[in-house]
């Protein structure tokens, strides 16, 4: 069942660019809830596909940024917080590469600077080298 949820969420993320009526905005909270699933692999696959929603348009990007920023900060007590945060930073990089929006870059650097652990911060920065 979890595998089906992950695949469905990834497909919805891929369809975001063709959603001219922005219907995904209504279902985005349910789609984002999959990133907190009981199985980490399902949550991670869904989180890694989320950047495609941010590349779909400005309203989607604003909603995505708010949710990713919240997830970045509230995942600290979780077992795989470093991987979750890396996936968030990577998703922001992919949105940036798709559109070149400086707001994406600013958000990513703000999140990277919020990381207290120096080795983790270096890992996140490595994804943003060259910008």
């Amino acid at each position: 069942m979890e595998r089906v949820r992950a695949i469905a969420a990834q497909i919805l993320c891929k369809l975001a660019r063709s959603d001219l009526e922005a219907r995904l905005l209504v279902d985005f909270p349910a789609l984002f809830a999959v990133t907190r699933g009981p199985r980490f692999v399902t949550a991670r696959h869904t989180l890694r596909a989320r950047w495609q929603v941010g590349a779909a348009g400005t309203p989607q990007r604003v909603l995505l940024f708010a949710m990713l920023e919240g997830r970045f900060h509230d995942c600290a007590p979780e077992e795989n917080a470093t991987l979750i945060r890396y996936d968030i930073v990577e998703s922001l990089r992919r949105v940036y590469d798709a559109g070149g929006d400086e707001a994406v870059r600013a958000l990513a650097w703000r999140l990277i600077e919020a990381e207290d652990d120096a080795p983790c911060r270096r890992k996140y920065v490595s994804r943003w080298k060259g910008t």
Side-chain angles (χ1 to χ4, degrees), residues 46-120:
T46 305
L47 190 61
R48 295 186 81 186
R50 196 60 42 133
W51 73 270
Q52 296 166 358
V53 175
T58 304
Q60 293 90 337
R61 192 175 307 128
V62 169
L63 184 59
L64 177 71
F65 291 170
M67 297 243 178
L68 287 179
E69 187 171 13
R71 184 77 174 113
F72 188 91
H73 293 298
D74 71 6
C75 75
E78 295 180 33
E79 182 179 346
N80 297 304
T82 302
L83 289 173
I84 293 169
R85 288 179 169 182
Y86 181 79
D87 290 342
I88 290 170
V89 170
E90 182 179 29
S91 292
L92 291 171
R93 177 59 194 237
R94 288 181 173 205
V95 173
Y96 179 78
D97 289 344
D101 185 5
E102 286 300 315
V104 179
R105 186 176 174 280
L107 173 62
W109 283 106
R110 189 169 67 241
L111 293 177
I112 290 169
E113 290 170 358
E115 176 61 55
D116 294 332
D117 188 20
C120 291

Side-chain angles (χ1 to χ4, degrees), residues 3-83:
R3 185 171 187 270
V4 173
R5 287 180 62 195
I7 292 169
Q10 289 171 341
I11 290 171
L12 285 174
C13 289
K14 286 186 183 294
L15 290 172
R17 287 188 183 185
S18 63
D19 183 17
L20 301 177
E21 298 168 8
R23 293 174 290 199
L24 188 61
L25 292 175
V26 175
D27 295 326
F28 193 76
L31 183 62
F32 199 77
V34 178
T35 65
R36 297 177 186 272
R39 294 198 51 212
F40 179 68
V41 69
T42 302
R44 188 163 192 216
H45 285 297
T46 305
L47 190 61
R48 295 186 81 186
R50 196 60 42 133
W51 73 270
Q52 296 166 358
V53 175
T58 304
Q60 293 90 337
R61 192 175 307 128
V62 169
L63 184 59
L64 177 71
F65 291 170
M67 297 243 178
L68 287 179
E69 187 171 13
R71 184 77 174 113
F72 188 91
H73 293 298
D74 71 6
C75 75
E78 295 180 33
E79 182 179 346
N80 297 304
T82 302
L83 289 173

